Amino acid sequence: MFDRNNSLPLSLFLQAERQARLDSRVIKAGMRGTMSRLAEWLSALGTWGTRLARDLADERLLRNAIRELHQLDDRTLADIGIPRCGIEFAVCNGLRTRLTHNLRLHAASASAR
C-alpha cells in the first residue's frame, strides 16, 4: 500500500505553534482591554442608575409632602406658618424659623468682625 506521511516538517510546525501562541496572547490582551473598558462602563452605568433612582425617590417624597400640605385648610397652614402660595418653596427650601434666622444673623455678624 501507499505509505503517506501527511505531517509537516518540524520547523514549520514549531513556527505555526509559535504564531498560534503569539496570536493567542494578542487576542487575550485585546480581550483584557475590552473587558476592562466594559467593566468601567458598567460601573459608570450603575452609578448613574443609583443616582437616578435616589433622585426620583427624593422627588417623590417632595411631591408627597406638597400634596399633603395642599390638603390642609388655610387655618392649619397659617398655624404652621406657611401661606398656601408658599407650600412648594417651604417644602423645597425649608421653613425659616426664629432659631435658624437668629443663627444666620449671628453667623453673619461674626463673619463681619
Side-chain angles (χ1 to χ4, degrees):
M1 303 269 297
F2 296 104
D3 190 20
R4 285 186 168 172
N5 187 356
N6 289 333
S7 63
L8 294 173
L10 185 59
S11 63
L12 288 177
F13 177 76
L14 292 176
Q15 286 177 352
E17 185 179 359
R18 189 176 304 133
Q19 186 63 39
R21 275 195 231 127
L22 182 62
D23 291 346
S24 174
R25 288 181 188 153
V26 168
I27 290 170
K28 286 179 182 176
M31 287 299 293
R32 274 193 302 272
T34 301
M35 294 306 288
S36 174
R37 284 189 295 277
L38 178 63
E40 290 171 6
W41 183 81
L42 287 173
S43 175
L45 182 64
T47 301
W48 177 81
T50 302
R51 189 178 320 124
L52 178 64
R54 189 178 313 123
D55 290 346
L56 288 174
D58 290 345
E59 182 67 27
R60 184 175 181 200
L61 287 174
L62 289 176
R63 282 186 280 124
N64 287 340
I66 290 170
R67 186 179 313 112
E68 287 179 20
L69 286 173
H70 272 294
Q71 291 173 353
L72 298 176
D73 61 354
D74 289 334
R75 183 174 178 100
T76 307
L77 286 173
D79 288 344
I80 297 172
I82 304 172
R84 187 163 294 281
C85 64
I87 290 175
E88 288 84 6
F89 182 83
V91 169
C92 294
N93 300 313
L95 285 177
R96 180 174 280 196
T97 63
R98 204 173 295 139
L99 177 63
T100 58
H101 181 69
N102 291 340
L103 287 174
R104 287 182 187 152
L105 288 176
H106 181 68
S109 66
S111 65
R113 292 182 196 164

